[in-house]
Amino acid sequence: MFIEQMRVIRTVVTEVPGLGEMIREARERDRRSLAKICREINMSTQNWYRIEREEQDLPIDTLRKIETVLGVEFGVSKDF
């Protein structure tokens, strides 16, 4: 007998004014090229620029990768 399990999904959206600018500033302080940073995150440079311009939503796991690769924290709650 197969017992199905119900899943509960929680989606949280948080607006972080100026996050794109903070990411850009952190990138500019880094000595590596954008191409190298993007390779470490597995992201295209075009996607990175869209994030900096705040033209798309930013998944929390991608934000955490950016923080790790750049060695910064942008102050977005860890309670996601």
Side-chain angles (χ1 to χ4, degrees):
M1 177 175 200
F2 179 76
I3 300 174
E4 290 188 37
Q5 294 192 10
M6 181 180 293
R7 298 182 308 165
V8 176
I9 299 171
R10 178 179 135 184
T11 301
V12 177
V13 176
T14 301
E15 292 189 22
V16 184
L19 181 59
E21 178 70 16
M22 289 187 285
I23 291 171
R24 184 187 62 76
E25 289 172 356
R27 173 185 55 84
E28 288 177 345
R29 286 190 302 269
D30 196 285
R31 302 183 130 243
R32 294 170 290 179
S33 70
L34 176 57
K36 182 171 174 94
I37 292 168
C38 286
R39 277 193 301 273
E40 293 184 37
I41 298 173
N42 195 25
M43 168 188 305
S44 71
T45 56
Q46 294 85 359
N47 191 42
W48 184 281
Y49 284 129
R50 283 192 293 273
I51 290 168
E52 287 186 356
R53 291 189 303 262
E54 299 184 14
E55 294 177 349
Q56 68 181 41
D57 291 335
L58 180 60
I60 192 68
D61 60 322
T62 302
L63 175 62
R64 297 300 178 228
K65 289 177 186 178
I66 291 171
E67 289 177 324
T68 299
V69 168
L70 295 179
V72 298
E73 286 189 23
F74 296 110
V76 177
S77 174
K78 305 273 188 212
D79 295 329
F80 272 87

